[in-house]
Amino acid sequence: MCATYWHASVAKPRARDPLLIPRSATLAAAVLLIIFVLQAWIAARRDSVTIDEFSQVPVGLHMLRTGDFSLDPINPPLTRMIAALPLLLSSPVLNAPADTAHWGLGYVFMQQNRGDYQAIFVRARSMMIVFTSLLGGLVFVWAAQLYGVSAGLAALTLFAFSPNMLAYAHLATLDMSGALGATATAYATWRMLERPTARSAVILGVALGIATLLKLSGGVLIGTVILGVLVCAWSERGVGHRSVPWARLLCLSGLVALLTLNAGYGFQGTCAPLSAARLDPNGTLAALRNALPWLRIPVPLPLLNGVDEVLNSGKQQQPAYFLAGELSSQGWWYYHLAAFGLKTSVPLLVSTVWALAMWCAGKGRGRREYCVFIPVLLIFLANTVFNSLQIGVRHVLSVYPLLFIAVSPWIVAALQARTRGAGGALLAATAGAGLLWFVAGSLWVAPRYLQYFNELAGGPDGGHRFLIDSNIDWGQDLIRLHEYMDHRALSVVNLAYFGRVDPGVYGIRFVPLERGSHGPTVISATFLMGRPYFWYLGGQMRWVPPRTYTWLQQYQPVARVGSMFVFDLP
């Protein structure tokens, strides 16, 4: 960050009002969003139910029907309820004992709806696709306001063909809604700094509250708001903002966010004493409860329980985290940076480094664009320091929409340099080649977007050697496995499946893979690389210890079915 840039940025003209965006640009943006929706819809129909969806959709339906938000508090209710909305029309069966845990609810739901199981989740996924389309529209609008309409279209192009956006947009999980909440909060912060009024502060508070209802990332978002205001107040001294009552505006935003958050939970347990919270007895909040059991915090009790679970969720007794061939129970501080580096297209990586360097050097191209960069830095910092759950790039997914915005003016500037002699033509050709590279990488892997890795990781075929779990293998390939077995006339296979769903739901006949198995054998990439987990066998979940199936690495696979490897064991 550079003070000279912050001061210089004040003098730059405001971007054009988004209401004045030409009709042709609006039409082009609509076409890009339609292309994005079509790609995501195809993927939604092709992927089987993933691990998180398995419980999240039934929990969302349970919340809609009962109004009880206490089940699985680690995830807030709004996203799951939105995903489950279409299910109110089709009324799938969900009859479970009152004390059923969230994973148990997933199994009850699966058994009671086996015949329509995939179709139910496709309907839930459609809501997430709509949700993500709103994020795409916001990316276009903010980039257009900051840098101009051409930059808005460039940012939206990156969004529409991003394999990481497409990988999670078509799944009924909280990842893309979290990205929407983070981007909307950052945008609302920028708007309040542009127009510091009570109305903009209220809008910011609503955005912050809804974002926390979508995904438990409120701490990062609060930091984004406060740091953005502090930077503005400090860097724009003497240029018309000295008298702005920032403290009052922040307090107003905070109160509105708190009211929105409590309303979203139906005020369940608001201001209840800490003694009523269900906390990990060895966690930080439990120590606070033991010291001050009478303390009342003005947040919903399910939210407080969820925050406690987040703080303690990454603790592992066995080596369950994987990076570049190694298993660890503690993980690596740089895991999320490494995952980002391996799962992000090389042209976007290069553009990100350039945009960040130019911003730090005081050569940024937008007014108060620190509102774009600050959240990116905070998201990475928060995951490095606080998030010990190292299972996927999706935990930093929120940086991608912001980076699409940040690099868009530089892409446009490079493309427009084609008329400036040989050097400009070379720069434009390089930028054009980078865009084609980006788009081609996504189309090449479509619709198996979770399988995307960049060339630094060896591409989609080599990525499993560096990252597993939700980076590549989330239980999404049972439909493809069924098709593979039909095509090869295989009636039964030896199987080790990383997922929660009973493969029999998708018509797959199998026997559990063991040492000494012979013949056609299928194993998920995550199990192949040694990660421990449960999987569904004989009507119950069984634990697979670490490195149970790594002995298979000595054999050469005969085929690849998405995230699964096929062997013909002697």
Side-chain angles (χ1 to χ4, degrees):
M1 302 179 188
C2 180
T4 57
Y5 165 64
W6 288 337
H7 285 290
S9 68
V10 177
K12 295 182 180 180
R14 293 176 183 266
R16 295 178 62 186
D17 192 292
L19 296 178
L20 300 179
I21 292 175
R23 181 175 299 179
S24 58
T26 302
L27 179 60
V31 170
L32 285 170
L33 285 175
I34 290 172
I35 292 173
F36 177 84
V37 168
L38 290 175
Q39 293 178 95
W41 178 250
I42 292 171
R45 295 175 62 86
R46 293 291 298 152
D47 282 354
S48 55
V49 175
T50 60
I51 290 175
D52 277 24
E53 290 179 295
F54 176 81
S55 67
Q56 305 241 7
V57 171
V59 168
L61 182 59
H62 167 81
M63 289 177 174
L64 285 174
R65 289 179 174 176
T66 66
D68 176 18
F69 302 133
S70 62
L71 191 62
D72 188 30
I74 196 171
N75 296 305
L78 188 55
T79 299
R80 295 182 288 187
M81 294 171 68
I82 290 173
L85 275 175
L87 308 188
L88 293 178
L89 300 177
S90 57
S91 299
V93 181
L94 182 56
N95 297 318
D99 59 347
T100 304
H102 68 283
W103 287 117
L105 196 69
Y107 287 106
V108 170
F109 189 73
M110 179 182 69
Q111 295 297 349
Q112 294 176 345
N113 298 277
R114 293 175 73 93
D116 196 32
Y117 195 65
Q118 176 70 14
I120 288 172
F121 281 84
V122 170
R123 289 192 287 271
R125 289 169 172 178
S126 67
M127 297 301 295
M128 293 299 100
I129 295 174
V130 171
F131 230 51
T132 311
S133 299
L134 296 177
L135 175 57
L138 179 57
V139 166
F140 169 69
V141 168
W142 194 4
Q145 287 183 276
L146 264 176
Y147 308 118
V149 172
S150 295
L153 291 174
L156 185 54
T157 299
L158 295 175
F159 179 92
F161 291 98
S162 166
N164 289 303
M165 294 292 98
L166 289 162
Y168 300 98
H170 73 280
L171 301 178
T173 66
L174 281 70
D175 302 298
M176 289 310 305
S177 61
L180 174 60
T183 306
T185 300
Y187 175 70
T189 302
W190 179 77
R191 293 292 295 178
M192 189 183 76
L193 298 182
E194 289 283 286
R195 296 180 175 86
T197 64
R199 181 174 181 270
S200 61
V202 169
I203 293 174
L204 172 58
V206 172
L208 181 58
I210 292 177
T212 307
L213 287 168
L214 292 172
K215 190 172 184 181
L216 278 184
S217 51
V220 175
L221 301 183
I222 291 171
T224 293
V225 174
I226 293 176
L227 192 53
V229 170
L230 289 176
V231 168
C232 180
W234 176 77
S235 64
E236 299 184 16
R237 301 187 308 275
V239 290
H241 279 265
R242 177 178 295 177
S243 60
V244 173
W246 290 117
R248 276 189 287 173
L249 291 177
L250 279 176
C251 287
L252 178 58
S253 294
L255 288 173
V256 171
L258 196 60
L259 179 62
T260 303
L261 183 61
N262 278 283
Y265 276 93
F267 295 93
Q268 292 183 12
T270 298
C271 289
L274 269 180
S275 59
R278 298 197 307 266
L279 306 178
D280 186 323
N282 298 316
T284 304
L285 292 183
L288 179 62
R289 178 187 60 187
N290 296 337
L292 305 171
W294 46 265
L295 183 64
R296 297 174 183 269
I297 301 177
V299 299
L301 203 55
L303 174 68
L304 191 61
N305 293 332
V307 171
D308 183 66
E309 286 196 29
V310 168
L311 293 175
N312 295 285
S313 62
K315 298 175 180 178
Q316 299 288 334
Q317 298 298 321
Q318 295 184 336
Y321 302 133
F322 178 89
L323 179 62
E326 296 184 16
L327 283 169
S328 171
S329 59
Q330 302 299 319
W332 304 264
W333 67 266
Y334 51 85
Y335 174 88
H336 293 98
L337 287 168
F340 174 80
L342 296 168
K343 292 283 290 180
T344 302
S345 175
V346 172
L348 181 59
L349 283 176
V350 173
S351 300
T352 296
V353 172
W354 176 261
L356 183 61
M358 290 297 100
W359 172 62
C360 290
K363 298 180 181 179
R365 290 180 168 262
R367 182 181 176 90
R368 300 189 181 96
E369 65 180 358
Y370 48 78
C371 291
V372 175
F373 287 100
I374 285 174
V376 172
L377 299 177
L378 286 181
I379 289 168
F380 277 118
L381 179 63
N383 278 280
T384 297
V385 176
F386 300 111
N387 186 6
S388 57
L389 190 62
Q390 300 182 0
I391 56 176
V393 72
R394 60 192 178 92
H395 288 165
V396 294
L397 200 68
S398 298
V399 305
Y400 284 100
L402 297 167
L403 292 178
F404 298 152
I405 296 170
V407 305
S408 62
W410 299 104
I411 293 174
V412 171
L415 292 174
Q416 291 176 345
R418 61 186 181 277
T419 60
R420 301 173 190 167
L426 179 61
L427 181 61
T430 302
L435 274 176
L436 289 175
W437 183 349
F438 182 90
V439 173
S442 182
L443 294 177
W444 178 258
V445 78
R448 299 168 287 107
Y449 300 108
L450 278 174
Q451 199 178 327
Y452 176 82
F453 283 85
N454 64 27
E455 290 74 13
L456 300 177
D461 293 333
H464 67 283
R465 299 185 181 94
F466 295 91
L467 298 168
I468 50 174
D469 209 294
S470 61
N471 293 297
I472 177 175
D473 177 19
W474 220 3
Q476 75 275 12
D477 285 313
L478 290 179
I479 294 175
R480 296 181 181 92
L481 177 57
H482 177 77
E483 293 172 346
Y484 176 84
M485 291 176 65
D486 277 354
H487 180 69
R488 299 285 179 171
L490 298 174
S491 59
V492 63
V493 294
N494 306 306
L495 179 64
Y497 165 65
F498 181 74
R500 290 274 178 170
V501 178
D502 176 7
V505 170
Y506 289 91
I508 296 169
R509 295 184 59 205
F510 68 95
V511 294
L513 172 62
E514 300 175 351
R515 278 190 177 272
S517 294
H518 303 282
T521 298
V522 180
I523 183 171
S524 297
T526 300
F527 278 150
L528 179 64
M529 303 312 292
R531 191 209 197 282
Y533 199 66
F534 298 93
W535 79 293
Y536 192 85
L537 289 171
Q540 62 181 346
M541 294 303 294
R542 298 184 185 178
W543 178 249
V544 176
R547 302 180 181 88
T548 295
Y549 298 111
T550 53
W551 57 271
L552 267 174
Q553 295 178 17
Q554 64 183 303
Y555 296 98
Q556 184 69 27
V558 297
R560 179 89 178 259
V561 182
S563 60
M564 295 179 169
F565 291 84
V566 183
F567 297 86
D568 189 9
L569 296 181

